[in-house]
Amino acid sequence: MWQWLTNVFRLGLKELNSLRADPVLILLIVYVFSFAVYSVATGAKLEVSNASVAYVDQDRSALTGRILGAILPPEFNPPQEISAGEIESVMNSGKFVFVLSFPPSFEADVLSGHKPQIQLNVDATAMAQAGNGSVFLQQIILAEVAKFVSGDDITTTRLIDLVVRTKFNPNLNSIWFSSVMQIINNITILSVLLTGAALIREREHGTIEHLLVMPVTPSEIMVAKIWANGLVIVVAAILSLWIVVQTVLAVPIAGSIPLFVCGAVLYLASVTGLGILLATFTTSMPQFGLLSLPVLVIMNLLSGSTTPMESMPVWLQNVMQLSPSTHFVSFSQAILYRDAGLDIVWPDMVVMVALSAVFFFIALKRFRVTMATVR
């Protein structure tokens, strides 16, 4: 056992030296955990921001002016007036996301107790902005009409006083969500790519034959690649959380970083094994990249990091329980967002351990077959 651990340690040092000698991979790691996290967090926003609004005002009353005056930045750009005949053309051209149309005698109908209709045309190409923006505009219109009818700009009489308390992200800032999720997704991507690339690099450089004549076993070679590349990814993820997320983006991390690191180590044992498994079916980096692409897309998009698991079909939710990324995302969100402790996240950790063992032994069996073929 001591000789096995010694061989694993020394082979891991060889992997770290190989990685240090590859400037392309080093640049990729730095980019993925720095600029990629920052650019996605600040650029891919889910909330409404600077949405373009047009309006057709056939009433030109104080009430319509009041409603239009309440549509303000930063959610919306100042509304621009168009004619009724321009609605279809501006919507088709994508010039405006929202177009409001006020009918004639709108204010008079409101004051007389009738229920006039306001037409809201929405460009739903951008679904998140369209859905959230429509809700915001409806709230603005209802609030301004209620104030106008009651004559009270400060308070309005409501039958129910609904108090909303937003936990974990009080300002509903998408940067808090997307920055952390980007790091979690990047851990998956690099875990597969680095370990797979390490095996492909052995073949392309001809060093796989050197390993075959050394007194080492396939398990020692595989475990060495896993711990060396996993160490690099864990260190990069911790630095990204500290420098990019907490310092640059000023996103608070609610939970325990050491507990998150423990879960990440368990997760890395499975996805790094998956990377080696995929690499055994290929002979070059282009082949490995093409084979890894659909696997990574499915693991990231259907893991719950982009859309909630509850929004997926039940059969797909059950299938994705076999993916370690699903449990890692649930584990990470519970700790980093909601300050969950070990008493809450231990089921996900147990599943990750089980899946890691399955992926490891499958990859090891396939790796032994590959080594025997090369021999």
Side-chain angles (χ1 to χ4, degrees):
M1 176 58 70
W2 178 253
Q3 185 62 45
W4 188 89
L5 292 175
T6 302
N7 290 341
V8 168
F9 176 73
R10 290 175 177 173
L11 287 171
L13 293 181
K14 180 191 75 68
E15 289 297 324
L16 293 176
N17 288 329
S18 299
L19 180 61
R20 184 181 62 181
D22 194 331
V24 175
L25 283 181
I26 293 177
L27 182 62
L28 174 64
I29 295 171
V30 173
Y31 167 79
V32 164
F33 284 106
S34 58
F35 180 76
V37 175
Y38 178 83
S39 60
V40 171
T42 56
K45 293 185 177 181
L46 301 178
E47 61 264 19
V48 180
S49 178
N50 298 320
S52 55
V53 181
Y55 68 94
V56 176
D57 190 355
Q58 302 181 65
D59 187 34
R60 298 191 179 278
S61 61
L63 178 56
T64 58
R66 181 173 184 151
I67 293 173
L68 295 173
I71 302 175
L72 299 171
E75 288 82 10
F76 302 98
N77 289 329
Q80 300 183 30
E81 185 173 9
I82 61 174
S83 64
E86 295 179 284
I87 295 179
E88 185 173 356
S89 61
V90 298
M91 292 294 292
N92 290 338
S93 64
K95 186 176 181 181
F96 296 99
V97 179
F98 304 99
V99 177
L100 285 166
S101 180
F102 297 96
S105 305
F106 173 70
E107 180 182 298
D109 290 339
V110 169
L111 294 176
S112 61
H114 297 156
K115 296 182 179 180
Q117 295 181 348
I118 300 176
Q119 185 184 71
L120 174 60
N121 300 278
V122 183
D123 181 0
T125 305
M127 294 180 292
Q129 188 179 50
N132 295 335
S134 298
V135 173
F136 290 165
L137 287 174
Q138 292 177 49
Q139 292 175 345
I140 291 172
I141 293 171
L142 292 176
E144 293 302 320
V145 169
K147 293 177 184 178
F148 181 80
V149 172
S150 65
D152 185 357
D153 286 343
I154 301 177
T155 60
T156 57
T157 303
R158 298 186 180 96
L159 297 177
I160 299 175
D161 187 12
L162 179 63
V163 179
V164 179
R165 292 185 175 91
T166 306
K167 299 191 69 175
F168 313 123
N169 190 354
N171 294 325
L172 301 178
N173 190 345
S174 64
I175 292 180
W176 287 26
F177 175 80
S178 56
S179 59
V180 176
M181 283 297 99
Q182 187 66 15
I183 292 178
I184 294 172
N185 289 337
N186 289 346
I187 289 176
T188 301
I189 294 173
L190 280 187
S191 298
V192 173
L193 293 183
L194 287 186
T195 50
L199 180 57
I200 298 296
R201 187 168 56 240
E202 299 278 10
R203 290 178 176 175
E204 292 181 341
H205 294 175
T207 54
I208 190 71
E209 287 80 5
H210 298 168
L211 293 176
L212 293 176
V213 299
M214 294 174 62
V216 294
T217 63
S219 63
E220 293 171 349
I221 299 173
M222 183 172 166
V223 173
K225 294 183 182 299
I226 288 176
W227 84 256
N229 291 283
L231 176 64
V232 172
I233 294 170
V234 168
V235 172
I238 294 174
L239 291 176
S240 183
L241 277 174
W242 174 41
I243 298 175
V244 180
V245 175
Q246 291 184 291
T247 304
V248 177
L249 297 175
V251 177
I253 300 299
S256 170
I257 297 296
L259 181 58
F260 169 74
V261 172
C262 290
V265 170
L266 298 177
Y267 175 64
L268 286 171
S270 61
V271 285
T272 50
L274 176 61
I276 293 178
L277 177 63
L278 295 176
T280 59
F281 290 98
T282 61
T283 57
S284 64
M285 281 301 298
Q287 289 181 356
F288 175 69
L290 290 175
L291 181 60
S292 302
L293 183 61
V295 176
L296 292 173
V297 168
I298 292 174
M299 290 181 67
N300 282 344
L301 292 183
L302 302 182
S303 63
S305 63
T306 303
T307 57
M309 290 291 296
E310 294 77 10
S311 65
M312 304 177 191
V314 175
W315 68 267
L316 185 56
Q317 295 182 38
N318 295 330
V319 170
M320 289 307 298
Q321 297 306 310
L322 301 176
S323 171
S325 61
T326 302
H327 301 280
F328 182 59
V329 167
S330 174
F331 166 87
S332 302
Q333 289 179 344
I335 292 176
L336 300 179
Y337 292 146
R338 299 188 289 272
D339 192 16
L342 184 60
D343 58 324
I344 294 177
V345 299
W346 70 264
D348 286 321
M349 298 181 72
V350 171
V351 175
M352 285 192 289
V353 170
L355 292 176
S356 297
V358 171
F359 276 102
F360 178 83
F361 285 111
I362 294 176
L364 179 58
K365 182 178 180 180
R366 175 65 190 173
F367 185 58
R368 284 172 174 166
V369 173
T370 303
M371 293 285 285
T373 303
V374 175
R375 192 185 303 270

